[in-house]
Every structure is written in structure tokens, then in C-alpha cells.
Amino acid sequence: MGFMFEQFSHLLTSLAYVLPLELFVFFGSFIEEIVAPIPSVLITTLAGSLALAAGYGWWGLLWLAALASVGKSIGCAILYVIADKAEDFLLVRLGPKIGITHAEVERVGKYFTGGVRDYLILIFIRALPLSPSLPISVGAGIIKIPFGLYNIATFIGNLIRSLLFIAVGYTGFSAYQNLLNQATSIESLIQIALAVCLGLFVLYIYYLRRVREKKA
């Protein structure tokens, strides 16, 4: 499986030498977001290196980061919708068996009311350099964070993150290679940690449900 995604990553990066840089950044970032095992630094850092060779200035890098953010944010929105619909489908069937109701899950999302604090939290999480994007998108869809809040914060956070990686590629190809070599393993560890936390959260809700049932 790892070899397959490695080959796919090579195929994706080869598009950089076929497409105009702007199109490569946009479509590459979108695909990178949908196909989660691809390292999130792959497209933008390569784009930064190519922008240096093409003579882009810093305003040009900002434009590339904006295109990357649009592509990634469209992918994030699709994952959000899929997770939202999957949560509706699965909890109706599995929720009663594990003691978790649809309302209990959505109640978590109601803590995000659209205030400045909520925007800052989501922007910060999205902007973190090696924060895995897939669990954030899926988690937001499951607990139903308001879609408008989610999209705006996702775009801004992705813009900051994309600009950072583009700058890394722009300032040094060796730095790009080192970052790319480390990104896959770090993101994998973070995703595993988040999956464990999600499992513990589900068990905790189940435990609370059983305690309430015994008291009743």
C-alpha cells in the first residue's frame, strides 16, 4: 500500500512539469487533500522550489498560497460533507448498540457558536505545519461545526500553512527534501494518536451512558 501511494505521489509531482504552476498548485493541493496518505507538504514545497526557478516574487508566492488554499479547502469541504452524511447514517444504526445518540454527538458541535474564539481555534489548528487535515475535516463533519465557520477558518488556516511550505521550498531545496522526508512519519504518528483519542472518547461516552442507565 505504501509503495502504491509513493508511486501516486511521484505521478502527482510530475504534473508540475506539464501544467502551469498555478494549475499544478490548485489541482495538486485538491488531490493531496482528498488522498490523505500523500504528505501535506508535497505540493506546496515543490511549488515553492519551482517558483524560485521561475523568478516569482513574494507577492507571487502569496498568490500561489491562495490557490493552494482554495484547492485544499474544496477538498476539506467535500470530506466534511461525507463525514456529516456518514455520521447521520451510521449513528442511526450503530448508535443505540454502543450507547451514543445522534443528539449527543451533535451537542459537541454546538460549543462552536461562530464567535471570534471559534475562528481562532480552527484557524490555529489548520495552520499548524504538520497537523493532519483528514481527522480535522472528518471530526468537524461528525460533530457538525457550522459549515460557514468551518469553511472560512479552513481557508485562512490553509492559506497560512500553504504560504509557510511554499516559503520553505522557495528558500532552499535541501530544506524541502528534509521536510518531505520527515513529514510522512510525523503525520502518521499524529493521525494514530488522534484515532486513539477518538476511540477513548467513544468509550468514555459509552461509559457515561452505562452509568446513567444504572442510576436510573
Side-chain angles (χ1 to χ4, degrees):
M1 184 67 72
F3 175 76
M4 181 183 70
F5 282 112
E6 183 179 349
Q7 292 298 107
F8 184 79
S9 296
H10 286 309
L11 176 63
L12 185 59
T13 54
S14 68
L15 294 177
Y17 306 99
V18 178
L19 297 175
L21 186 54
E22 286 81 1
L23 288 179
F24 167 70
V25 167
F26 174 77
F27 287 111
S29 295
F30 170 76
I31 296 171
E32 181 185 75
E33 188 64 33
I34 295 296
V35 185
I38 297 177
S40 62
V41 304
L42 181 67
I43 299 300
T44 44
T45 45
L46 176 57
S49 297
L50 295 175
L52 175 64
Y56 277 65
W58 285 101
W59 285 110
L61 300 188
L62 182 59
W63 170 238
L64 291 177
L67 291 174
S69 181
V70 171
K72 287 182 70 66
S73 297
I74 292 173
C76 290
I78 292 173
L79 294 173
Y80 175 102
V81 172
I82 292 174
D84 180 11
K85 300 304 179 184
E87 184 267 339
D88 292 339
F89 176 79
L90 291 175
L91 276 189
V92 169
R93 289 157 179 78
L94 299 179
K97 297 180 181 179
I98 61 177
I100 301 176
T101 67
H102 184 73
E104 285 174 331
V105 172
E106 291 192 356
R107 192 178 300 127
V108 179
K110 291 180 180 178
Y111 287 105
F112 291 85
T113 59
V116 174
R117 174 189 63 89
D118 300 333
Y119 280 97
L120 292 178
I121 290 174
L122 287 175
I123 290 171
F124 175 76
I125 293 173
R126 283 292 189 192
L128 288 174
L130 293 179
S131 175
S133 183
L134 177 63
I136 299 171
S137 301
V138 172
I142 289 175
I143 65 176
K144 289 182 172 51
I145 290 176
F147 195 53
L149 161 64
Y150 171 80
N151 283 326
I152 294 172
T154 291
F155 173 78
I156 297 173
N158 281 335
L159 177 63
I160 297 171
R161 176 174 167 144
S162 297
L163 184 58
L164 173 63
F165 286 144
I166 287 174
V168 169
Y170 189 80
T171 54
F173 190 75
S174 60
Y176 155 68
Q177 287 290 356
N178 291 334
L179 183 61
L180 184 59
N181 291 337
Q182 297 175 24
T184 304
S185 59
I186 294 175
E187 285 194 22
S188 298
L189 290 174
I190 296 175
Q191 289 192 31
I192 292 172
L194 288 175
V196 171
C197 291
L198 179 60
L200 292 174
F201 176 70
V202 172
L203 291 176
Y204 178 67
I205 293 179
Y206 177 71
Y207 167 76
L208 292 179
R209 183 66 176 268
R210 293 297 299 270
V211 171
R212 288 198 299 269
E213 289 176 352
K214 289 180 179 179
K215 290 181 177 179

